[in-house]
Amino acid sequence: MSVLSAICTVSLGRAAYHSLSKKLEQASAHGFQGIELFAEDLWTYAEELEHGQGVARKGGHQVSHASLIKAALNVRELCKQQDLAIICLQPMSNYEGHADRAEQSSQLHERAPLWFSLVKALGTDLIQVPSSYKEDAYLTNDFKAIVSDVRDLADSAGNQDPPIRIMYEALAWGTRADMWQQSWEVVKKVDRSNCGICLDTFNIAARVYGDPTHFPRGTNGLLSAEDAHDTMMASMHSLVNDIPVDKVFLIEVADGERLDAPLVQGHEFWNVQQPPRMSWSRNCRLFYGESDRGAFLPIKDMMQKLIDRRPNLPNDGVEERASSSLGQQRPNRMGYRGWISQEVFSRSLWEAHECVPEEHAMRARQAWQKLVEDSSLPQAEALKQVEAHKPSTSAFSPVRADPLTFESVDYDPVTHLNAIFSHSSTLSSAPAISYALRDHRKYLDGSLTTLESVQNSKTDASLQRIREVQSELASLFKRIDGVRERAIQTEQTITEMTADIKRLDGTKRNLTLSMTMLKRLQMLTTAYEQLRGLGRARQYRECAQLLQAVVQLMAHFKSYRSIDQIATLGKKVADLQRELLEQVCEDFEVAFSRSEIQEKKIMLAEGCVVTDALGENAKARLVTWYCNNSLREYRQIFRGNDEAGSLDNISRRYAWLNRMLKTYDHEHASVFPLHWRVNEMLANSFCQTTREDFKGILQESTRRQDAQSLNVNLLLSCLQETLDFEQSLERRFANESRRSTDTTSSVDDRPLAFQQAISEAFEPYLSLWVEAQDRQLASTIPKYRSQPLRSADEDFTPQLVIHSSTELFQLYRLQLAQCAKLSTGTRLQELTSTFGKYLDQYAQQVLFHFLSGQQSGEPSGPPLESIIIVLNTADYCYVTTTQLEEKIRHRIDADLKSSVDLQSQADAFMGIAGACVRALIRKVEFDCEAALREMRNTAWAKLESVGDQSSYVPELLRALRTRTGEIISMLQHKQQYARTFCDNLVETITNDYISTIGVCRPIGEVGAEQLLLDTYALKKLFTDLPTLDADGKPSGAPAQQSYAKRVANTTSKIDPLLKTLQVRPTPPEALVQAYLIHIADRSEANFKTVLELKGVTRKQEQNQLVEIFNAHKAGPGHAGAGKELASSNPVVANLNINNPSTSSSSLQVSGASNPSAVNQSSIPGMPSPNVGTTKFDKFDPASFGSALLSAAKDGVDRFQIQTQQGSFPNSANPSRVTSPPVGTGATGTNKATEKERKGSAPANAFGGGSGMAALMAAAGDRSERSETSSPGLRGGVTDVEKDKEKRNLNDNLRNIGRFFRLETGR
């Protein structure tokens, strides 16, 4: 079936103003094949038959059933004449869900039979039933009642002869059903073949995408346009996958208009009796694709979902996400074929103009053509072939076009048909071509009718008016031309009249300028003569005033220097200025050399005024002479090679300047003008001289080899005194307090004149101070390591941290404050590196040392309280390190901020925290060992019946509750660690449980069923773990949904294995099918492992089952599905049923001698793919280190991070992993299954050789461990190897810390 075009009669005009016959004519003329008959049109038409046309249009008249039936028969005949099919009668509004069941019964037994009769009279078989939109009080809340009402209607309609179909539609403003999901749910529950769904694009999009109360944005709620589109497409994706295409009886297409203001009270469309979406629908629907009228809903994308059948169309992002979440590729197009009707309600339909039906029919026709083009419908190709028949842009000029197009004057229909049907294979398109031609003919007829109507509406009066306007415009343009000519003539006359006036003005200007210049020349000559006389008499006050006048007068004659007399006069003035400057300088030299300053103070002050008038160069010369003269004595006394010039006498230097400045204030300040700031210039000269002296002294001190070399304490003392002196100068000359070097901002951005004026000389030598701090910190680490975790008189609390950590950061704070006062440049950068160095050492040699539990003889590792204290300390150090980095960034120079990075140290502390959580899990594992041992010793093949629980279960649950509750109570103040502990405990115990199953073979069917029953109790306890109190009792609070989901995902590994073991080996096909369903892989080795677990050990029996397995896995049920079966199931692949001594614990002793053989156990955030049995011995830090490094490997695979490239998530400066991989040269590998298990066992990315050598040597315990460790770890170890081991430990702790940060969300 193809797609057929239809239109609802209400979309061509409201019945009160436009007759049904006119609307049917326009629908047929514009190429529509069918109509939806709107009930309003039928009732109005019946009124016309019964009461007459004029009376019927006024409304308010009752219509008899007989008149309605007669009207229906007439409408049927009218549609037949217009070649139109009647699709349905609609809408049967507010039918279902009445709270008054008597009213509901009336709907079924009185209203419905009338509609059935009308449908039969119309010759159709379909009724549209929209969802009820009455007020809430009138409708029931019982969904079953709504389904029952629609089912009763469908049953009654199906019993008609012929049967009638019902299509249910959800209105966007429906009271009980306003979304397609609800209407589809009703149709599904009704479950009748004659009951389907009607999909209205406006009602769907108006509820999911649009919202008239949020205009002008127009999207639903607070969603952006992009988010609203994604939501709409996700809803459509669900629709096409949920609703079978045969249940879609009709698709109605309409778009919506974007409003300029929210449709709330006060809006022109607001109706207090209607919901906003209903008012929006009644006034603002548009035809498909009318974006020029404000259409904005995503109807194009929706229709492509519904009717497109093109294969391999790319899915949008929403579909891809939806498909991936279902785990399979789902269809993304419905491929609907059938009637598509355009149902538009609009305020324009209420207009009484007779052209309304024609205009809307034409708009609908254009919308249908656009829909055909956009959706690649079957008619598209036919429409393209007749596209040339559209009217030409010029109806009066012949077109010499292609003879195969309708516009050509040489058009030959035979040639055109031969071109279309050029081959016998093209004859199949003949019906489509015929329909397209017939459709286009109707379109042309409609277009001609419309053009005739428009042409007929034109009157002779309008044409006459146009001629009159054209005549008036011609007259106006003529008058404008006349005005322009007269304006040009007037301008020429005025120009001639004013020419003589302009010449007189020029003459006057030149005469005035000549007189002014002569007068200025006379004044300059007179002033020059007077200035010579006053200068010789040393009358400087008068000279200064006259000199300023001379300088100003000379400025007017710069452009006249080419005149000889002016040039000569200018030279004389310049010579006189030089003579005055030399004379003033001579007076200063004589007065200062003879100590006659007080006697000649007035003359010297007036001489400064003359110098000021001479310009900046003259002033600079006099001030420079004064500074050199004043500092002559200072330079003689404090020479660098004398004792007085040494650093020990630095205070005498500064005291000398203070005395000099005091002398200036009392004796010389009155001589110099205040704005010259001579005292500040003197201080600057002093600072420059002193700085150069200090540079020479410090360079000489560093070259000395005797005891007189530079002393750090003296250096710091001198630097501090210099800084204080500079601050005093700043306060003196800036009249404001100098800002502290510790602050990060200032309200005054004015550069400080004396900042580092002298102290700059000390900057290169502050590295000695940094080295001193390095030595001080180096001495603290061994002291911190030797201290106990807490003092003997200190009580344990879950929040307790190691005191040495707070002492270390307090020391850092003091050193940072001191360095910031001395330097915020390179030296602070060096100090930051020192901080990072000893933070690494504190993590390795103190925290990891305590965590290794060397003082404890417990097989389960360090005491619980010790682990909690180390965890608290590691967390405190992580937070404080981050804060320290921020403080340094605030204080260091801007160009060095990017070099400050302590993130790797923070990650190392987070790695310690992860190791602590793993140690806590080890505690629980140790307590569970007795129960798991009992589980291993049970004869699972000999069980005859299934009980409530096995004997080991109560002990296992008790051990888990007791120890976990104790740990959780201690982690209440750190919920992120408590959650991580629970997550990884579930994963570890689950792996241990699977490992134990692997060594319990043989396991019979009853035993497998009993084990499966036992896992339910274990899963229940896992879910309650975060809510346990200190006594191991659940608090009753529900677990977080994310945690419960993780528990379900983790424990889901157990069920497939046990469900497979439940199946008997006879018949063999049953066991093979169970394996393929539950284990779901193609691995022959894994299948043999399952057979071994079941006790099928005879080779002949195994070979028979393997042959059947190979045949079934390649059969059509599996191989034909493509990629349903995995290559290897990791749970079964990692079962070790041949070596029960292998341990899955990350703290097993066996890893010490051969770290490559240590199983990859998990730390927080890193799953352990290898499972085996569990055996516990005394806790050994050597195996702990190997386990941590191996566990980091698993994290790399989990997060898909390539450590060789240094790429880690959420890491500002990831460290490159340099240690060799663990596992090289490992023995005991199952060679037969190595290729099959390659995909499930991730390659080790961290390693580091021997775990004890990598971790303990870096912790400073190399020599102590050499006595007890395996041979070969101590002998021949060089300092280079030790440094390499420390770096490896640092890198691995940082990598572990990064993964643990991801797990805890830090």
Side-chain angles (χ1 to χ4, degrees):
M1 184 178 183
S2 62
V3 174
L4 305 175
S5 63
I7 189 169
C8 186
T9 55
V10 75
S11 302
L12 299 175
R14 299 309 294 247
Y17 300 100
H18 306 286
S19 66
L20 178 59
S21 59
K22 181 66 176 292
K23 291 192 282 186
L24 294 178
E25 291 175 4
Q26 293 302 321
S28 176
H30 286 80
F32 289 99
Q33 299 164 279
I35 62 162
E36 283 186 276
L37 183 58
F38 200 62
E40 173 189 283
D41 288 303
L42 180 60
W43 258 253
T44 302
Y45 187 73
E47 287 185 29
E48 293 177 356
L49 294 179
E50 186 171 345
H51 303 288
Q53 182 171 353
V55 177
R57 291 296 171 89
K58 296 180 180 179
H61 297 276
Q62 294 293 331
V63 184
S64 64
H65 288 191
S67 297
L68 286 171
I69 298 299
K70 182 180 179 181
L73 292 171
N74 288 353
V75 171
R76 179 177 182 177
E77 185 61 29
L78 289 174
C79 290
K80 184 177 180 181
Q81 295 173 3
Q82 298 294 340
D83 196 17
L84 292 171
I86 301 177
I87 305 172
C88 70
L89 178 62
Q90 65 115 333
M92 191 175 179
S93 303
N94 292 317
Y95 162 77
E96 86 289 3
H98 290 270
D100 185 352
R101 302 313 291 172
E103 172 64 21
Q104 185 63 50
S105 178
S106 173
Q107 292 285 332
L108 178 63
H109 296 100
E110 297 178 14
R111 185 184 180 193
L114 172 61
W115 278 69
F116 295 158
S117 300
L118 294 176
V119 166
K120 293 177 184 178
L122 290 169
T124 184
D125 68 338
L126 187 59
I127 297 175
Q128 184 205 66
V129 180
S131 59
S132 296
Y133 52 88
K134 283 188 173 183
E135 295 182 6
D136 185 78
Y138 295 99
L139 298 176
T140 180
N141 288 318
D142 188 357
F143 178 75
K144 294 181 179 179
I146 297 175
V147 173
S148 176
D149 295 343
V150 179
R151 183 186 294 118
D152 291 342
L153 181 63
D155 290 340
S156 181
N159 292 331
Q160 301 297 314
D161 186 18
I164 296 175
R165 296 180 298 153
I166 303 298
M167 58 178 179
Y168 189 61
E169 175 187 0
L171 299 179
W173 56 91
T175 307
R176 296 289 181 261
D178 58 353
M179 300 184 71
W180 69 262
Q181 292 92 337
Q182 297 162 332
S183 60
W184 171 237
E185 190 66 21
V186 171
V187 172
K188 281 199 304 181
K189 297 292 184 183
V190 168
D191 192 20
R192 295 292 186 269
S193 60
N194 68 323
C195 182
I197 192 171
C198 176
L199 299 178
D200 186 316
T201 59
F202 178 85
N203 282 326
I204 296 174
R207 186 61 183 82
V208 178
Y209 182 92
D211 188 348
T213 62
H214 287 83
F215 282 91
R217 184 177 65 254
T219 53
N220 197 355
L222 300 177
L223 295 178
S224 64
E226 182 179 357
D227 292 340
H229 186 273
D230 289 347
T231 304
M232 184 71 256
M233 290 301 99
S235 178
M236 292 302 298
H237 184 74
S238 299
L239 185 149
V240 301
N241 284 282
D242 292 348
I243 304 179
V245 67
D246 59 348
K247 277 294 185 180
V248 180
F249 287 177
L250 178 65
I251 292 179
E252 295 176 335
V253 183
D255 208 321
E257 176 184 350
R258 187 190 299 274
L259 301 183
D260 295 330
L263 206 164
V264 294
Q265 188 170 3
H267 195 279
E268 60 176 322
F269 301 147
W270 171 258
N271 189 332
V272 70
Q273 298 178 350
Q274 294 179 353
R277 283 187 171 89
M278 184 176 182
S279 298
W280 185 30
S281 174
R282 290 290 177 261
N283 293 277
C284 303
R285 285 203 189 195
L286 294 171
F287 289 104
Y288 176 88
E290 291 189 322
S291 57
D292 56 327
R293 296 175 180 266
F296 76 104
L297 298 177
I299 307 302
K300 177 181 177 181
D301 295 338
M302 295 171 63
M303 290 303 296
Q304 287 181 349
K305 293 282 189 183
L306 294 174
I307 63 180
D308 210 331
R309 285 185 174 179
R310 289 175 292 176
N312 301 325
L313 287 175
N315 294 339
D316 53 56
V318 176
E319 292 174 353
E320 292 177 356
R321 293 192 291 273
S323 298
S324 62
S325 66
L326 294 174
Q328 59 183 352
Q329 184 66 31
R330 301 180 62 177
N332 57 12
R333 299 292 188 273
M334 177 178 283
Y336 170 82
R337 291 296 179 265
W339 288 105
I340 296 179
S341 177
Q342 302 195 59
E343 183 189 46
V344 170
F345 300 90
S346 175
R347 56 191 181 276
S348 62
L349 298 172
W350 288 96
E351 296 177 1
H353 196 280
E354 61 180 6
C355 293
V356 167
E358 298 175 11
E359 293 174 357
H360 286 78
M362 185 175 294
R363 286 171 56 191
R365 165 69 183 187
Q366 294 171 351
W368 175 255
Q369 289 179 331
K370 183 171 180 58
L371 175 61
V372 169
E373 295 170 358
D374 291 345
S375 304
S376 297
L377 292 175
Q379 299 178 19
E381 189 61 32
L383 288 175
K384 289 179 182 177
Q385 295 190 39
V386 299
E387 184 68 19
H389 70 313
K390 292 183 179 179
S392 174
T393 55
S394 176
F396 304 98
S397 58
V399 180
R400 287 288 177 180
D402 188 342
L404 297 183
T405 59
F406 292 149
E407 289 85 349
S408 174
V409 295
D410 300 327
Y411 177 74
D412 182 7
V414 176
T415 304
H416 196 178
L417 288 173
N418 288 335
I420 294 175
F421 301 107
S422 59
H423 191 268
S424 59
S425 61
T426 61
L427 293 177
S428 59
S429 62
I433 297 295
S434 176
Y435 164 75
L437 291 172
R438 200 165 54 249
D439 185 41
H440 183 60
R441 183 187 65 187
K442 292 182 180 181
Y443 168 75
L444 291 177
D445 290 341
S447 299
L448 290 173
T449 302
T450 302
L451 292 174
E452 289 174 0
S453 300
V454 174
Q455 187 66 29
N456 291 334
S457 64
K458 296 180 179 179
T459 63
D460 294 338
S462 61
L463 296 176
Q464 181 63 27
R465 181 67 180 274
I466 292 175
R467 296 190 189 97
E468 292 175 357
V469 171
Q470 291 176 344
S471 176
E472 292 176 359
L473 288 175
S475 176
L476 179 61
F477 289 142
K478 185 175 181 180
R479 292 173 59 188
I480 292 173
D481 291 338
V483 171
R484 183 185 298 110
E485 292 176 359
R486 288 195 296 274
I488 294 173
Q489 294 175 359
T490 302
E491 182 180 3
Q492 292 175 351
T493 302
I494 294 174
T495 302
E496 293 173 358
M497 292 173 60
T498 57
D500 295 336
I501 299 176
K502 289 181 178 180
R503 285 194 293 271
L504 291 175
D505 286 343
T507 303
K508 179 181 178 181
R509 251 191 332 270
N510 293 335
L511 182 60
T512 302
L513 179 60
S514 300
M515 294 174 62
T516 301
M517 294 305 297
L518 289 174
K519 186 175 182 180
R520 287 175 178 171
L521 181 60
Q522 181 184 5
M523 294 172 59
L524 177 60
T525 305
T526 304
Y528 168 74
E529 295 297 335
Q530 293 178 356
L531 185 60
R532 287 183 60 189
L534 294 174
R536 293 171 182 171
R538 282 182 165 76
Q539 297 179 9
Y540 292 135
R541 179 183 299 275
E542 292 77 6
C543 281
Q545 297 175 357
L546 197 56
L547 181 59
Q548 294 176 356
V550 170
V551 172
Q552 292 176 0
L553 289 172
M554 279 300 302
H556 293 290
F557 292 96
K558 285 184 178 180
S559 58
Y560 301 98
R561 293 292 180 94
S562 58
I563 301 174
D564 293 339
Q565 291 81 356
I566 300 297
T568 302
L569 181 60
K571 185 171 184 272
K572 291 180 178 179
V573 171
D575 293 340
L576 180 59
Q577 290 176 336
R578 285 193 293 273
E579 292 175 4
L580 284 174
L581 177 59
E582 294 295 335
Q583 183 174 310
V584 171
C585 291
E586 181 181 353
D587 291 343
F588 268 86
E589 291 176 3
V590 171
F592 274 82
S593 62
R594 298 179 180 178
S595 300
E596 298 176 351
I597 300 174
Q598 295 301 322
E599 292 81 357
K600 299 182 178 180
K601 179 168 56 176
I602 297 176
M603 183 189 68
L604 295 177
E606 293 175 350
C608 289
V609 176
V610 172
T611 306
D612 204 11
L614 289 174
E616 290 295 326
N617 292 333
K619 181 180 72 173
R621 176 181 172 182
L622 182 59
V623 173
T624 301
W625 173 85
Y626 173 78
C627 293
N628 291 334
N629 183 73
S630 300
L631 293 176
R632 186 181 299 112
E633 178 186 2
Y634 170 77
R635 290 167 179 158
Q636 293 175 353
I637 297 175
F638 297 99
R639 287 179 297 182
N641 54 0
D642 292 343
E643 181 179 356
S646 64
L647 294 179
D648 295 333
N649 295 318
I650 192 172
S651 58
R652 292 179 56 194
R653 290 176 177 266
Y654 302 148
W656 186 92
L657 179 62
N658 289 330
R659 291 194 302 271
M660 189 66 212
L661 292 177
K662 189 177 295 185
T663 301
Y664 172 85
D665 292 339
H666 287 88
E667 300 180 5
H668 305 162
S670 58
V671 173
F672 297 99
L674 183 63
H675 66 275
W676 282 17
R677 301 180 67 89
V678 175
N679 52 351
E680 185 174 349
M681 301 295 293
L682 176 62
N684 273 321
S685 298
F686 171 84
C687 291
Q688 292 174 7
T689 301
T690 306
R691 181 176 65 246
E692 297 302 320
D693 287 349
F694 284 170
K695 285 182 178 179
I697 294 172
L698 291 171
Q699 289 175 359
E700 181 66 23
S701 299
T702 54
R703 289 195 294 266
R704 292 180 182 175
Q705 301 297 328
D706 54 9
Q708 300 297 323
S709 60
L710 186 61
N711 182 276
V712 176
N713 293 331
L714 176 61
L715 176 68
L716 295 180
S717 175
C718 293
L719 177 57
Q720 187 61 52
E721 190 169 355
T722 301
L723 291 174
D724 294 340
F725 176 71
E726 290 174 348
Q727 291 179 9
S728 66
L729 293 179
E730 196 67 45
R731 288 192 298 270
R732 175 186 180 97
F733 297 113
N735 294 324
E736 58 184 19
S737 299
R738 176 183 175 180
R739 67 179 184 178
S740 171
T741 57
D742 293 340
T743 60
T744 59
S745 62
S746 174
V747 296
D748 184 9
D749 294 332
R750 184 183 66 82
L752 302 177
F754 293 94
Q755 184 178 18
Q756 294 188 338
I758 302 175
S759 58
E760 180 186 352
F762 294 90
E763 178 73 20
Y765 305 96
L766 285 179
S767 57
L768 298 176
W769 177 82
V770 177
E771 293 173 1
Q773 306 310 308
D774 187 294
R775 290 191 295 271
Q776 180 183 359
L777 291 171
S779 65
T780 60
I781 298 300
K783 180 183 69 173
Y784 291 158
R785 176 171 172 166
S786 62
Q787 293 175 353
L789 286 174
R790 57 188 173 97
S791 58
D793 57 346
E794 185 177 13
D795 294 332
F796 170 78
T797 62
Q799 295 84 16
L800 187 65
V801 298
I802 304 175
H803 292 304
S804 61
S805 63
T806 58
E807 293 178 4
L808 177 64
F809 282 105
Q810 177 67 14
L811 180 59
Y812 276 9
R813 187 185 69 82
L814 296 176
Q815 292 176 345
L816 175 60
Q818 187 175 6
C819 183
K821 292 179 180 179
L822 303 177
S823 172
T824 57
T826 306
R827 299 304 162 252
L828 183 53
Q829 183 184 26
E830 293 176 358
L831 183 64
T832 303
S833 300
T834 302
F835 285 168
K837 170 184 175 182
Y838 289 101
L839 286 174
D840 285 334
Q841 291 192 16
Y842 188 81
Q844 301 168 26
Q845 300 183 22
V846 179
L847 296 185
F848 194 82
H849 169 75
F850 288 135
L851 186 61
S852 63
Q854 297 179 66
Q855 297 84 1
S856 172
E858 298 181 17
S860 62
L864 179 58
E865 294 180 354
S866 299
I867 298 175
I868 295 297
I869 293 175
V870 174
L871 175 61
N872 292 338
T873 305
D875 183 70
Y876 164 76
C877 292
Y878 172 81
V879 174
T880 312
T881 300
T882 305
Q883 295 173 351
L884 176 64
E885 179 182 338
E886 292 300 320
K887 288 183 178 294
I888 296 176
R889 285 180 183 273
H890 282 307
R891 299 190 178 197
I892 202 168
D893 293 344
D895 58 330
L896 298 177
K897 287 183 183 294
S898 59
S899 65
V900 178
D901 184 11
L902 296 178
Q903 186 60 49
S904 59
Q905 286 74 26
D907 288 338
F909 287 118
M910 190 55 63
I912 295 294
C916 291
V917 173
R918 180 58 201 148
L920 294 174
I921 296 174
R922 171 69 178 86
K923 289 286 186 182
V924 182
E925 281 188 286
F926 180 80
D927 291 349
C928 295
E929 166 57 14
L932 294 178
R933 187 184 305 112
E934 182 179 353
M935 176 181 171
R936 291 194 298 273
N937 294 334
T938 302
W940 296 102
K942 298 180 180 180
L943 289 183
E944 297 179 355
S945 62
V946 178
D948 293 339
Q949 289 181 349
S950 299
S951 58
Y952 74 91
V953 173
E955 176 62 22
L956 178 61
L957 298 182
R958 184 202 60 78
L960 281 172
R961 286 195 190 97
T962 304
R963 180 63 78 172
T964 303
E966 182 182 6
I967 294 174
I968 291 294
S969 65
M970 293 184 179
L971 295 177
Q972 286 300 321
H973 63 292
K974 296 185 181 298
Q975 286 297 319
Q976 69 272 26
Y977 293 116
R979 168 63 190 273
T980 305
F981 166 75
C982 292
D983 288 343
N984 291 275
L985 177 61
V986 170
E987 189 169 351
T988 301
I989 299 301
T990 299
N991 290 338
D992 290 346
Y993 191 80
I994 296 175
S995 302
T996 306
I997 292 175
V999 296
C1000 286
R1001 65 187 180 100
I1003 300 175
E1005 292 76 20
V1006 177
E1009 186 177 356
Q1010 181 63 60
L1011 285 170
L1012 187 61
L1013 186 61
D1014 294 341
T1015 59
Y1016 296 150
L1018 190 60
K1019 294 176 183 178
K1020 176 63 172 63
L1021 178 59
F1022 283 163
T1023 305
D1024 294 336
L1025 287 181
T1027 65
L1028 296 179
D1029 58 17
D1031 297 327
K1033 298 179 181 179
S1035 63
Q1040 295 181 1
Q1041 185 177 359
S1042 59
Y1043 172 75
K1045 183 177 180 181
R1046 178 157 183 168
V1047 169
N1049 291 338
T1050 302
T1051 56
S1052 64
K1053 299 183 293 185
I1054 305 175
D1055 293 351
L1057 178 61
L1058 294 178
K1059 288 180 180 178
T1060 304
L1061 295 177
Q1062 278 185 284
V1063 182
R1064 296 180 181 277
T1066 55
E1069 289 80 2
L1071 178 60
V1072 171
Q1073 288 295 336
Y1075 180 91
L1076 293 175
I1077 292 172
H1078 299 302
I1079 305 301
D1081 71 4
R1082 299 191 298 270
S1083 172
E1084 182 178 323
N1086 287 356
F1087 183 68
K1088 289 181 179 180
T1089 299
V1090 173
L1091 295 180
E1092 292 284 344
L1093 280 176
K1094 288 189 63 64
V1096 181
T1097 57
R1098 294 174 52 195
K1099 293 296 182 182
Q1100 181 178 359
E1101 189 175 0
Q1102 278 194 2
N1103 292 337
Q1104 178 185 0
L1105 288 168
V1106 168
E1107 289 179 4
I1108 297 175
F1109 168 74
N1110 290 330
H1112 277 73
K1113 74 179 182 181
H1118 299 285
K1123 300 180 181 179
E1124 290 183 1
L1125 297 179
S1127 60
S1128 177
N1129 186 305
V1131 175
V1132 181
N1134 291 311
L1135 281 177
N1136 194 339
I1137 62 175
N1138 297 319
N1139 186 11
S1141 63
T1142 303
S1143 171
S1144 67
S1145 172
S1146 63
L1147 306 176
Q1148 187 186 352
V1149 168
S1150 60
S1153 59
N1154 185 10
S1156 63
V1158 177
N1159 287 326
Q1160 298 164 3
S1161 179
S1162 63
I1163 68 164
M1166 304 173 190
S1168 174
N1170 295 333
V1171 289
T1173 63
T1174 308
K1175 184 183 78 173
F1176 300 100
D1177 294 292
K1178 180 179 178 181
F1179 176 81
D1180 195 323
S1183 63
F1184 183 76
S1186 297
L1188 286 179
L1189 304 183
S1190 299
K1193 181 273 291 184
D1194 293 336
V1196 173
D1197 183 73
R1198 176 180 179 184
F1199 293 105
Q1200 299 181 355
I1201 299 168
Q1202 298 178 357
T1203 57
Q1204 287 79 1
Q1205 299 175 0
S1207 176
F1208 294 94
N1210 301 330
S1211 176
N1213 184 20
S1215 302
R1216 181 172 294 224
V1217 177
T1218 57
S1219 57
V1222 171
T1224 55
T1227 60
T1229 303
N1230 190 338
K1231 303 294 184 179
T1233 63
E1234 182 175 357
K1235 291 185 178 180
E1236 297 176 352
R1237 299 179 182 178
K1238 187 174 296 182
S1240 61
N1244 197 335
F1246 292 126
S1250 170
M1252 182 173 64
L1255 297 177
M1256 290 300 104
D1261 197 35
R1262 181 68 180 228
S1263 59
E1264 178 181 342
R1265 277 296 178 188
S1266 62
E1267 299 296 332
T1268 58
S1269 301
S1270 58
L1273 293 181
R1274 173 60 182 166
V1277 177
T1278 65
D1279 291 339
V1280 175
E1281 292 173 338
K1282 290 182 181 179
D1283 291 339
K1284 183 178 181 181
E1285 290 169 349
K1286 291 180 181 179
R1287 289 194 301 270
N1288 290 345
L1289 174 60
N1290 268 341
D1291 291 339
N1292 286 290
L1293 282 178
R1294 292 167 183 170
N1295 295 333
I1296 293 170
R1298 295 187 188 106
F1299 298 132
F1300 190 59
R1301 264 197 298 121
L1302 292 176
E1303 183 72 10
T1304 57
R1306 299 298 294 268

